[in-house]
Amino acid sequence: MVGRQVDVVETSRGCTFDCSFCSIIAMRGRNFHTFTFDRVLADIRDAKARGARCIFLVDDNLTLNVRRFEALCQRSSTPASMTSTTWSRR
């Protein structure tokens, strides 16, 4: 089987903001839950092993906790053969 070009990884779920354009609060409430870095890094490694060339971080608000986001970036250097992308409120 040929590997996927793009894979999605989720590092957290939820958001505490109530933006008029977003339905996250209506769907999940004001909860914000993070996954451990070990899990996130394992998901990235798995995606690479399955042939992903790009990782799309699909969090509801990846930069809600900026310090956590910075720490994640420092710990998860994307291999030169891959790219990563996401969207954010900030």
Side-chain angles (χ1 to χ4, degrees):
M1 181 172 121
V2 175
R4 295 170 291 202
Q5 294 293 319
V6 178
D7 207 345
V8 296
V9 172
E10 190 173 41
T11 77
S12 65
R13 284 191 182 172
C15 185
T16 58
F17 292 102
D18 194 10
C19 301
S20 61
F21 58 84
C22 184
S23 62
I24 295 302
I25 299 296
M27 292 182 346
R28 298 187 181 148
R30 289 193 188 279
N31 301 322
F32 181 66
H33 170 79
T34 60
F35 300 115
T36 67
F37 285 168
D38 288 340
R39 175 192 165 160
V40 172
L41 297 175
D43 288 348
I44 292 171
R45 283 191 302 271
D46 180 62
K48 182 171 175 25
R50 292 173 177 266
R53 297 181 65 193
C54 178
I55 300 295
F56 185 41
L57 302 174
V58 295
D59 296 39
D60 299 320
N61 189 347
L62 183 63
T63 59
L64 183 63
N65 180 334
V66 174
R67 287 185 180 156
R68 180 181 182 277
F69 175 66
E70 290 170 344
L72 178 63
C73 289
Q74 291 172 353
R75 291 205 40 203
S76 66
S77 58
T78 304
S81 61
M82 297 180 76
T83 60
S84 59
T85 188
T86 191
W87 60 71
S88 176
R89 180 181 186 276
R90 295 182 192 242

